[in-house]
Amino acid sequence: MTVDGRLLGFLRDLQATVLSELVEFAAIPSVSTDPARASDVQAAASWVAGKLAAAGRFSVRTIPTSRNPVVYGEWLGAPGKLTALVYGHYDVQPVDPVEKWRTPPFTPSVRDGRLYARGVSDDKGPMLIPIKVAEAFFAVAGALPINIKCMFEGEEEIGSPSLDSFIAEHKELLAADVVLSADGAMWRIDEPSLTVSSRGLVGLEITLTAASKDLHSGRHGGSVANPLHAIAQLIASLHEPNGRVAVAGFYDLVRELTRSERAAIATLPFDERRYLAEVGAPAPFGEPGYSTLERQWTRPTLEVNGMWGGYQGPGEKTVIPSEAHAKITCRLVPDQDPDEIMTLVRRHLEAHLPPGSRLSISLGDHGARPAHIDADHFALKAADAALREVYGVQPLVVRSGGTVPISELFQRHMGLSTVFFSFSTADEDYHAPNEFFRIHRLNEGLEAWARYWTILGATRD
């Protein structure tokens, strides 16, 4: 599909401006999980609304939710053409451990062709791209090739707790033919890819207590339970030594891959030694009987994300702490239900509670179910064509071990499939210190989104 050369030229001239705006955007510390950052999250929403309005002829409004607002914009000036709903999120992960950042996480820094800052890859860089592409179309052609609705939220990094009700209550406003997500990530930097499925997510936090206060370990040691010992024992009970989850019923509804599905994954160019070197692990580990990619993409997991308690300052403090804590999340696959999995995990924890301790469980706000898109979906085929035009090779078809709640929500509430069209890659440390976004991917994304919308615009000619 031919793309207007003037448009591509405009986008090339716009690259420096896009980078400078991304630096400005990434400097906003919009950490949604931290109540102290609430005003910063609001500031990010205002920034996005301003950029969307400045892009051209969008009708823009900010819609409140029970937590953080949704920035919504629409241009419906292409009668007879399809309507795409573009999704992204302006909130970011916490920065901890901050001491491991080479430069301050909210002082964006360019080094070696990369922009370093919290949220620059997930998802501020990728979601800024379609806004600027719309600006280019309006400037050059005065219109977009398809109807576009934009929905940018501020709660993705806390599981999008408001979106379930928001989508259910705004079906008419959000009505579209397909969802195009600027969130997500391509598999690797050296091969373009399209993701056809993602795992679900559910989480909880547990607290174990024993005595009502910290106790002198000499005076009371050996006579009351130590919550740190107890929580270590309880956490260890969640898995068998070989890595398989030991929670009764955890795998009961898991679909086994077909022979052809396993063969398709096995043919992907995955170098396990390279992967281990990239993550710094000495050897692979996990549920027996499955390859590393199968475990990452198609098998459920239960992970301990944090454990803490007791004295952690310099030197010694000889106490038996009164409490200990842990955070746990599970990644889910079809046909696992978040509520059912949490019930199973809760039963396991209660049944394996060490003597002399008490258990308190705090569930996450909600869970997210797994999602998928059919391999022959028209918008996925169009995305494939756009990537081939930009990169000159056939994109790989891959799956995601991560979770993007909106894909399942739009599937369930509105029957819409989601195409992940992000130009982040999985190695960009987007939940870790020193998150970065490659500047050349920012520029490639501008061209790809322009080509994508052009191709979609031809589907109803």
Side-chain angles (χ1 to χ4, degrees):
M1 178 59 57
T2 302
V3 179
D4 190 330
R6 295 175 303 153
L7 177 70
L8 296 180
F10 187 94
L11 287 170
R12 283 192 292 271
D13 293 341
L14 198 62
Q15 289 175 0
T17 299
V18 178
L19 179 59
S20 66
E21 291 184 1
L22 179 54
V23 168
E24 180 183 326
F25 190 16
I28 304 173
S30 49
V31 182
S32 54
T33 192
D34 184 356
R37 294 293 192 183
S39 62
D40 296 311
V41 175
Q42 293 291 327
S46 297
W47 191 95
V48 172
K51 290 301 175 186
L52 195 55
R57 299 167 60 189
F58 282 114
S59 173
V60 181
R61 55 179 161 144
T62 301
I63 306 173
T65 72
S66 59
R67 296 196 181 186
N68 301 325
V70 168
V71 178
Y72 176 82
E74 67 178 27
W75 181 83
L76 305 177
K81 302 293 185 177
L82 63 82
T83 299
L85 178 62
V86 176
Y87 167 83
H89 67 89
Y90 57 84
D91 65 320
V92 304
Q93 280 276 315
V95 300
D96 306 275
V98 67
E99 67 274 8
K100 292 192 175 182
W101 285 79
R102 287 184 58 191
T103 51
F106 294 112
T107 303
S109 172
V110 175
R111 301 194 301 273
D112 302 321
R114 300 173 172 184
L115 178 61
Y116 287 83
R118 172 55 86 226
V120 72
S121 174
D122 182 19
D123 178 41
K124 290 181 176 180
M127 70 161 280
L128 181 59
I129 291 172
I131 297 175
K132 304 309 289 185
V133 169
E135 179 181 325
F137 271 110
F138 284 133
V140 172
L144 305 179
I146 57 175
N147 300 295
I148 291 292
K149 297 180 177 182
C150 295
M151 189 194 83
F152 301 127
E153 65 150 322
E155 301 177 9
E156 198 278 339
E157 299 296 2
I158 53 174
S160 301
S162 298
L163 274 198
D164 197 332
S165 59
F166 183 88
I167 293 172
E169 293 167 8
H170 294 86
K171 289 182 180 180
E172 184 174 348
L173 178 70
L174 303 174
D177 296 292
V178 67
V179 179
L180 310 181
S181 176
D183 191 24
M186 290 196 197
W187 186 35
R188 292 206 300 244
I189 187 57
D190 52 356
E191 287 144 338
S193 60
L194 291 167
T195 301
V196 297
S197 69
S198 59
R199 292 192 292 188
L201 178 68
V202 70
L204 55 82
E205 181 175 323
I206 65 173
T207 297
L208 262 65
T209 59
S212 61
K213 56 187 176 183
D214 288 359
L215 300 176
H216 189 290
S217 65
R219 170 70 177 84
H220 301 282
S223 58
V224 296
N226 185 317
L228 288 174
H229 296 177
I231 203 167
Q233 181 180 341
L234 185 59
I235 291 297
S237 76
L238 291 167
H239 291 85
E240 298 172 5
N242 61 11
R244 183 177 171 86
V245 176
V247 174
F250 188 80
Y251 295 99
D252 285 358
L253 297 179
V254 175
R255 297 183 201 172
E256 290 292 336
L257 293 174
T258 65
R259 185 172 300 176
S260 62
E261 287 173 329
R262 298 193 77 170
I265 293 174
T267 61
L268 291 172
F270 177 68
D271 184 334
E272 187 163 84
R273 287 181 296 180
R274 173 185 168 184
Y275 165 73
L276 293 172
E278 288 173 349
V279 301
F285 178 77
E287 183 185 3
Y290 301 92
S291 70
T292 296
L293 286 184
E294 288 172 347
R295 290 196 296 264
Q296 289 180 347
W297 292 350
T298 71
R299 300 299 295 172
T301 64
L302 187 158
E303 297 291 351
V304 181
N305 308 124
M307 291 179 65
W308 69 99
Y311 180 67
Q312 299 174 49
E316 296 180 351
K317 184 180 181 184
T318 53
V319 296
I320 300 171
S322 61
E323 59 184 46
H325 311 269
K327 292 181 181 288
I328 298 169
T329 53
C330 300
R331 298 286 178 171
L332 311 180
V333 299
D335 295 298
Q336 291 181 305
D337 177 79
D339 292 337
E340 292 176 1
I341 292 300
M342 275 300 92
T343 297
L344 296 176
V345 174
R346 176 194 285 272
R347 287 174 182 167
H348 178 98
L349 293 170
E350 292 171 344
H352 291 78
L353 180 66
S357 58
R358 293 181 292 264
L359 172 67
S360 173
I361 299 177
S362 175
L363 300 180
D365 291 326
H366 71 303
R369 293 175 175 83
H372 73 282
I373 184 171
D374 291 337
D376 62 352
H377 192 283
F378 76 90
L380 193 66
K381 290 182 176 179
D384 179 279
L387 292 179
R388 278 190 279 114
E389 289 182 3
V390 172
Y391 293 104
V393 297
Q394 181 68 46
L396 300 175
V397 175
V398 302
R399 306 180 187 215
S400 171
T403 303
V404 184
I406 57 105
S407 54
E408 185 275 329
L409 291 175
F410 277 110
Q411 206 168 60
R412 174 159 47 93
H413 286 297
M414 301 179 67
L416 294 180
S417 295
T418 299
V419 176
F420 294 102
F421 205 64
S422 170
F423 286 81
S424 295
T425 51
D427 66 338
E428 290 176 342
D429 293 330
Y430 38 77
H431 283 208
N434 303 304
E435 178 179 354
F436 67 91
F437 190 46
R438 292 176 173 90
I439 294 172
H440 74 84
R441 297 285 286 186
L442 187 67
N443 301 332
E444 291 161 9
L446 292 169
E447 179 183 350
W449 275 89
R451 292 184 180 276
Y452 191 19
W453 286 356
T454 301
I455 293 169
L456 287 173
T459 60
R460 290 189 179 176
D461 283 347

